[in-house]
Short mmCIF file of all heavy atoms in Angstrom, two decimals:
data_model
loop_
_atom_site.label_atom_id
_atom_site.label_comp_id
_atom_site.label_asym_id
_atom_site.label_seq_id
_atom_site.Cartn_x
_atom_site.Cartn_y
_atom_site.Cartn_z
N ARG A 52 -3.92 24.88 5.01
CA ARG A 52 -2.95 25.80 5.64
C ARG A 52 -2.91 27.10 4.84
O ARG A 52 -3.02 27.07 3.61
CB ARG A 52 -1.56 25.14 5.64
CG ARG A 52 -0.44 26.01 6.12
CD ARG A 52 0.83 25.17 6.31
NE ARG A 52 1.14 24.39 5.13
CZ ARG A 52 2.26 24.51 4.42
NH1 ARG A 52 3.21 25.34 4.79
NH2 ARG A 52 2.46 23.77 3.34
N ILE A 53 -2.82 28.18 5.55
CA ILE A 53 -2.63 29.49 4.91
C ILE A 53 -1.40 30.13 5.53
O ILE A 53 -1.24 30.10 6.75
CB ILE A 53 -3.85 30.41 5.16
CG1 ILE A 53 -5.12 29.78 4.58
CG2 ILE A 53 -3.62 31.79 4.56
CD1 ILE A 53 -6.39 30.55 4.92
N TYR A 54 -0.52 30.65 4.68
CA TYR A 54 0.59 31.42 5.24
C TYR A 54 0.86 32.64 4.38
O TYR A 54 0.44 32.71 3.22
CB TYR A 54 1.85 30.56 5.45
CG TYR A 54 2.45 29.94 4.23
CD1 TYR A 54 3.45 30.60 3.51
CD2 TYR A 54 2.07 28.68 3.79
CE1 TYR A 54 4.04 30.03 2.40
CE2 TYR A 54 2.64 28.11 2.67
CZ TYR A 54 3.62 28.78 1.98
OH TYR A 54 4.20 28.22 0.86
N LEU A 56 3.74 35.62 3.16
CA LEU A 56 5.14 36.02 2.98
C LEU A 56 5.14 37.53 2.87
O LEU A 56 4.41 38.09 2.03
CB LEU A 56 5.60 35.37 1.68
CG LEU A 56 7.05 35.18 1.34
CD1 LEU A 56 7.79 34.52 2.48
CD2 LEU A 56 7.11 34.30 0.09
N SER A 64 14.86 36.85 -3.42
CA SER A 64 13.93 35.88 -4.02
C SER A 64 13.61 34.80 -3.00
O SER A 64 14.38 34.56 -2.06
CB SER A 64 14.52 35.29 -5.30
OG SER A 64 15.70 34.62 -5.00
N ARG A 65 12.46 34.17 -3.17
CA ARG A 65 12.00 33.10 -2.28
C ARG A 65 11.74 31.85 -3.12
O ARG A 65 11.86 31.88 -4.33
CB ARG A 65 10.69 33.52 -1.57
CG ARG A 65 10.74 34.80 -0.80
CD ARG A 65 11.48 34.68 0.50
NE ARG A 65 11.09 33.56 1.31
CZ ARG A 65 11.21 33.50 2.63
NH1 ARG A 65 11.67 34.55 3.28
NH2 ARG A 65 10.89 32.41 3.31
N GLY A 66 11.31 30.80 -2.44
CA GLY A 66 11.04 29.56 -3.16
C GLY A 66 12.34 28.80 -3.34
O GLY A 66 13.11 28.64 -2.40
N GLY A 67 12.59 28.38 -4.59
CA GLY A 67 13.80 27.60 -4.83
C GLY A 67 13.63 26.18 -4.34
O GLY A 67 14.50 25.61 -3.67
N HIS A 68 12.47 25.62 -4.65
CA HIS A 68 12.19 24.23 -4.28
C HIS A 68 10.97 23.73 -5.03
O HIS A 68 10.26 24.52 -5.68
CB HIS A 68 11.96 24.10 -2.76
CG HIS A 68 10.89 24.98 -2.23
ND1 HIS A 68 9.56 24.73 -2.42
CD2 HIS A 68 10.94 26.14 -1.53
CE1 HIS A 68 8.84 25.68 -1.86
NE2 HIS A 68 9.66 26.57 -1.31
N HIS A 70 7.66 20.53 -4.60
CA HIS A 70 6.96 19.69 -3.62
C HIS A 70 6.54 18.38 -4.29
O HIS A 70 6.16 18.36 -5.45
CB HIS A 70 5.71 20.40 -3.10
CG HIS A 70 6.03 21.53 -2.18
ND1 HIS A 70 6.35 21.34 -0.85
CD2 HIS A 70 6.09 22.87 -2.39
CE1 HIS A 70 6.59 22.52 -0.30
NE2 HIS A 70 6.44 23.46 -1.21
N GLN A 75 -0.82 24.42 -4.30
CA GLN A 75 -0.95 25.76 -3.71
C GLN A 75 -1.71 26.70 -4.63
O GLN A 75 -1.65 26.57 -5.86
CB GLN A 75 0.44 26.36 -3.47
CG GLN A 75 1.26 25.65 -2.42
CD GLN A 75 2.71 26.01 -2.51
OE1 GLN A 75 3.31 25.98 -3.58
NE2 GLN A 75 3.31 26.37 -1.39
N ARG A 114 9.75 26.14 -8.22
CA ARG A 114 9.27 27.53 -8.27
C ARG A 114 10.23 28.50 -7.61
O ARG A 114 10.91 28.16 -6.63
CB ARG A 114 7.87 27.67 -7.65
CG ARG A 114 7.77 27.89 -6.14
CD ARG A 114 8.04 26.68 -5.31
NE ARG A 114 7.37 25.50 -5.80
CZ ARG A 114 6.12 25.18 -5.50
NH1 ARG A 114 5.43 25.95 -4.68
NH2 ARG A 114 5.59 24.07 -5.95
N LEU A 116 10.18 32.79 -6.53
CA LEU A 116 9.38 34.02 -6.43
C LEU A 116 10.35 35.18 -6.32
O LEU A 116 11.26 35.15 -5.46
CB LEU A 116 8.47 34.00 -5.21
CG LEU A 116 7.24 33.07 -5.23
CD1 LEU A 116 7.62 31.64 -4.97
CD2 LEU A 116 6.21 33.54 -4.23
N PHE A 119 9.62 41.25 -5.76
CA PHE A 119 8.62 41.71 -4.79
C PHE A 119 8.62 43.24 -4.72
O PHE A 119 9.67 43.85 -4.50
CB PHE A 119 8.93 41.15 -3.39
CG PHE A 119 8.66 39.68 -3.27
CD1 PHE A 119 9.66 38.75 -3.56
CD2 PHE A 119 7.42 39.22 -2.87
CE1 PHE A 119 9.42 37.39 -3.45
CE2 PHE A 119 7.17 37.86 -2.76
CZ PHE A 119 8.17 36.94 -3.05
N VAL A 127 -0.46 32.42 0.56
CA VAL A 127 -0.43 31.06 -0.01
C VAL A 127 -1.48 30.20 0.67
O VAL A 127 -1.52 30.10 1.90
CB VAL A 127 0.97 30.42 0.16
CG1 VAL A 127 1.02 29.04 -0.49
CG2 VAL A 127 2.06 31.32 -0.43
N GLN A 131 -1.80 20.99 2.15
CA GLN A 131 -1.30 20.15 3.25
C GLN A 131 -0.70 21.02 4.35
O GLN A 131 -0.27 22.14 4.08
CB GLN A 131 -0.19 19.21 2.76
CG GLN A 131 -0.56 18.29 1.63
CD GLN A 131 -1.53 17.20 2.06
OE1 GLN A 131 -1.62 16.87 3.23
NE2 GLN A 131 -2.28 16.66 1.11
N GLU A 132 -0.61 20.44 5.54
CA GLU A 132 0.14 21.10 6.59
C GLU A 132 1.63 21.13 6.21
O GLU A 132 2.04 20.39 5.32
CB GLU A 132 0.00 20.35 7.93
CG GLU A 132 -1.33 20.60 8.61
CD GLU A 132 -2.34 19.49 8.37
OE1 GLU A 132 -1.94 18.45 7.81
OE2 GLU A 132 -3.52 19.69 8.72
N TYR A 133 2.41 21.95 6.91
CA TYR A 133 3.85 22.03 6.63
C TYR A 133 4.53 20.69 6.91
O TYR A 133 4.39 20.12 7.99
CB TYR A 133 4.49 23.13 7.49
CG TYR A 133 5.98 23.17 7.35
CD1 TYR A 133 6.56 23.68 6.21
CD2 TYR A 133 6.80 22.65 8.35
CE1 TYR A 133 7.94 23.69 6.05
CE2 TYR A 133 8.18 22.66 8.20
CZ TYR A 133 8.73 23.18 7.06
OH TYR A 133 10.09 23.19 6.91
N LEU A 134 5.26 20.21 5.92
CA LEU A 134 5.97 18.94 6.05
C LEU A 134 7.29 19.04 5.29
O LEU A 134 7.29 19.07 4.04
CB LEU A 134 5.08 17.84 5.44
CG LEU A 134 5.42 16.38 5.74
CD1 LEU A 134 5.39 16.09 7.23
CD2 LEU A 134 4.45 15.48 4.99
N GLU A 135 8.39 19.11 6.02
CA GLU A 135 9.69 19.33 5.35
C GLU A 135 10.01 18.18 4.39
O GLU A 135 10.65 18.39 3.36
CB GLU A 135 10.79 19.52 6.39
CG GLU A 135 12.16 19.86 5.83
CD GLU A 135 12.21 21.11 4.94
OE1 GLU A 135 11.50 22.09 5.23
OE2 GLU A 135 12.97 21.09 3.94
N TYR A 138 9.35 18.54 0.66
CA TYR A 138 10.13 19.48 -0.16
C TYR A 138 11.22 18.75 -0.95
O TYR A 138 11.84 17.81 -0.44
CB TYR A 138 10.86 20.49 0.73
CG TYR A 138 10.02 21.63 1.26
CD1 TYR A 138 9.09 21.44 2.26
CD2 TYR A 138 10.19 22.93 0.78
CE1 TYR A 138 8.34 22.49 2.78
CE2 TYR A 138 9.45 24.00 1.29
CZ TYR A 138 8.53 23.77 2.29
OH TYR A 138 7.81 24.82 2.79
N ARG A 140 14.59 20.26 -2.32
CA ARG A 140 15.31 21.54 -2.27
C ARG A 140 16.58 21.54 -3.13
O ARG A 140 17.27 22.54 -3.20
CB ARG A 140 15.66 21.90 -0.83
CG ARG A 140 14.42 22.20 0.04
CD ARG A 140 14.82 22.82 1.35
NE ARG A 140 13.69 23.06 2.24
CZ ARG A 140 12.94 24.17 2.22
NH1 ARG A 140 13.19 25.12 1.36
NH2 ARG A 140 11.95 24.32 3.08
P1 TYD B 202 10.06 27.84 2.69
O1 TYD B 202 8.78 27.17 2.29
O2 TYD B 202 11.34 27.24 2.26
O3 TYD B 202 10.01 29.37 2.25
P2 TYD B 202 9.96 30.06 0.81
O4 TYD B 202 9.50 29.06 -0.18
O5 TYD B 202 9.00 31.17 0.99
O6 TYD B 202 11.31 30.61 0.50
O7 TYD B 202 10.04 28.00 4.29
C1 TYD B 202 11.07 28.67 4.96
C2 TYD B 202 11.11 28.14 6.38
O8 TYD B 202 9.92 28.55 7.06
C3 TYD B 202 11.14 26.62 6.47
O9 TYD B 202 12.44 26.14 6.56
C4 TYD B 202 10.34 26.34 7.72
C5 TYD B 202 9.43 27.52 7.88
N1 TYD B 202 8.01 27.23 7.54
C6 TYD B 202 7.19 26.69 8.50
O10 TYD B 202 7.60 26.41 9.65
N2 TYD B 202 5.88 26.44 8.20
C7 TYD B 202 5.36 26.74 6.98
O11 TYD B 202 4.15 26.52 6.73
C8 TYD B 202 6.23 27.29 5.98
C9 TYD B 202 5.72 27.63 4.61
C10 TYD B 202 7.54 27.52 6.29
#
Side-chain angles (χ1 to χ4, degrees):
R52 174 170 52 119
I53 299 174
Y54 62 92
L56 199 50
S64 61
R65 305 285 311 205
H68 55 75
H70 288 280
Q75 293 163 311
R114 87 285 315 275
L116 287 78
F119 288 90
V127 183
Q131 302 290 338
E132 283 98 9
Y133 174 74
L134 194 59
E135 185 56 37
Y138 281 73
R140 294 192 183 273

